[in-house]
Amino acid sequence: MKRIIIDTDPGIDDAFAILLALAAKEKLEVLALTTVNGNAGVDQVTKNACKICDIADENELPIFKGCSRPLCRERENSAVFHGDDGLGNIGIPDTVVKVGCEHAVDYLVRKAREEKGEITLTAIGPLTNIAAAIKKDAEFAGNVKELVIMGGAEFKGNMSPHAEFNFWVDPEAAKIVFAAGFGKITMIGLDATAYIYLDPVLRELLYAINTPVSRFMHKISRVYMDGHWKIEKKLGCELCDVLTIAYLLDESVVEKVDAFVDVETKGLCEGASVVYRKKYYPQKEKNCEVAVKADVKHFYDIFFKYLFPEYLATAAQLLTNYYDSK
Ligand SMILES: [Ca+2]
């Protein structure tokens, strides 16, 4: 059983990720959600976190609001993919789910200290809260068992040719995190998440499954798909953040390499992760494992196994037909 905290900026793919984590009770114990400015402002993403917990019927899960802006810059939010409200503009009313009084950074520092060596931290938004926790407590990185990050890209960004959104929003924070001395960091960046596409056929299956969670996923992903269509003329949408949770459930869903990772904070390439593979740069000290590939069929086996187990075989068959016909 892994004890995890999800640091998040929900976010449509964040919502999918959180719902998967909450459904995988036999393997993951979600201790709390901590929120951070990213796909929308922190007040909005915190409301969204509450709505997601409400949909999952998890009204007791602690939620803590975190940083409202990057460490030392202002950044716009990503309305084109996630909608103005960060959750697909489908007009879900606010819920009665309560937010904790403690600041997310204080919670992270306290919990990591209280449960030294026990907690897996999953960061699926900009790394502002994590960097702030490192600055607040010199022992923070040492207290965390493992950090799994959705962010970065070895080869191709999505906010510039080189920079991925989460690192681009707060490059200084990302740089601090990689230099902090965590015992184990896994960077799950765009190189791997590009494989994890929600194709229209599986999105329709979510509609057909017809549970509150599956219909919610179907509904919120509309705006996200429209964003992909507008920019790339591709049908479907990427489920970047969800791969981090699938990885926690079964590490073999990705292929990884050992690397030293640093983050550029200035100039043309600001927000870019610079990945020195150990294989090519043996003199660099490893600070990270970087996911370079993901197995999409394996991913959906994990996704359906925990969320909608009775549709596992149907999903696998649809996916096989879909890929064979392409
Ligand atoms: Ca996110």
Side-chain angles (χ1 to χ4, degrees):
M1 178 71 80
K2 289 186 169 131
R3 290 167 67 72
I4 73 167
I5 297 171
I6 305 177
D7 189 72
T8 175
D9 62 335
I12 292 160
D13 55 333
D14 299 75
F16 277 67
I18 293 164
L19 290 167
L20 174 59
L22 292 173
K25 294 211 181 310
E26 69 234 51
K27 286 202 134 172
L28 301 178
E29 185 182 353
V30 184
L31 302 176
L33 305 180
T34 52
T35 61
V36 65
N37 166 69
N39 286 319
V42 75
D43 287 334
Q44 184 62 50
V45 298
T46 307
K47 281 183 190 169
N48 294 348
C50 296
K51 292 175 188 180
I52 295 161
C53 288
D54 196 41
I55 294 285
D57 217 4
E58 293 273 356
N59 295 330
E60 301 301 317
L61 183 71
I63 299 172
F64 300 95
K65 185 165 86 172
C67 297
S68 60
R69 45 168 300 211
L71 290 183
C72 42
R73 58 174 76 215
E74 294 295 335
R75 283 298 199 198
E76 292 165 21
N77 306 124
S78 65
V80 73
F81 281 107
H82 296 267
D84 299 318
D85 71 350
L87 214 50
N89 290 343
I90 61 167
I92 318 161
D94 290 342
T95 67
V96 293
V97 176
K98 300 250 185 332
V99 176
C101 311
E102 198 174 9
H103 191 281
V105 174
D106 295 329
Y107 169 77
L108 287 169
V109 165
R110 177 173 66 78
K111 198 71 179 164
R113 186 173 280 276
E114 283 172 6
E115 299 196 34
K116 186 175 163 60
E118 294 295 324
I119 289 177
T120 297
L121 190 50
T122 310
I124 56 175
L127 290 165
T128 317
N129 287 342
I130 315 300
I134 293 163
K135 286 170 79 149
K136 193 155 197 157
D137 180 359
E139 292 171 23
F140 178 72
N143 290 340
V144 170
K145 180 182 180 191
E146 180 179 355
L147 174 64
V148 180
I149 296 170
M150 190 281 127
E154 185 178 9
F155 293 113
K156 188 168 170 279
N158 56 7
M159 296 305 289
S160 79
H162 300 291
E164 175 278 334
F165 177 78
N166 286 338
F167 287 14
W168 175 86
V169 168
D170 199 344
E172 288 80 10
K175 191 177 179 73
I176 288 170
V177 167
F178 282 98
F182 284 94
K184 183 177 179 191
I185 301 183
T186 307
M187 175 179 126
I188 299 186
L190 298 178
D191 311 281
T193 63
Y195 290 85
I196 307 303
Y197 215 70
L198 179 66
D199 290 303
V201 65
L202 286 185
R203 184 167 174 267
E204 280 311 303
L205 178 60
L206 291 175
Y207 184 84
I209 289 171
N210 195 16
T211 66
V213 168
S214 79
R215 284 283 171 102
F216 174 75
M217 289 175 157
H218 179 266
K219 220 169 173 184
I220 61 173
S221 51
R222 176 72 262 160
V223 162
Y224 203 18
M225 287 188 63
D226 291 344
H228 280 281
W229 178 253
K230 200 171 150 193
I231 293 170
E232 304 167 302
K233 290 290 175 286
K234 266 174 92 173
L235 286 172
C237 55
E238 277 176 23
L239 295 180
C240 302
D241 293 343
V242 198
L243 186 56
T244 60
I245 303 298
Y247 170 77
L248 291 178
L249 291 166
D250 185 347
E251 291 198 3
S252 70
V253 73
V254 300
E255 201 178 297
K256 297 182 289 182
V257 296
D258 290 343
F260 169 78
V261 172
D262 199 355
V263 178
E264 182 55 82
T265 58
K266 292 188 189 71
L268 273 178
C269 297
E270 70 170 10
S273 46
V274 182
V275 176
Y276 294 85
R277 293 194 187 199
K278 275 294 284 177
K279 187 176 163 189
Y280 304 124
Y281 301 93
Q283 74 282 13
K284 291 281 189 186
E285 194 176 331
K286 172 186 169 184
N287 64 354
C288 180
E289 290 173 16
V290 175
V292 293
K293 245 184 184 179
D295 180 335
V296 66
K297 287 185 178 173
H298 191 176
F299 169 83
Y300 279 112
D301 279 345
I302 297 167
F303 183 87
F304 281 92
K305 176 181 164 189
Y306 289 102
L307 274 162
F308 313 109
E310 62 274 40
Y311 294 92
L312 180 60
T314 310
Q317 189 59 54
L318 285 172
L319 203 61
T320 299
N321 295 348
Y322 186 76
Y323 277 93
D324 289 353
S325 69
K326 284 218 287 193

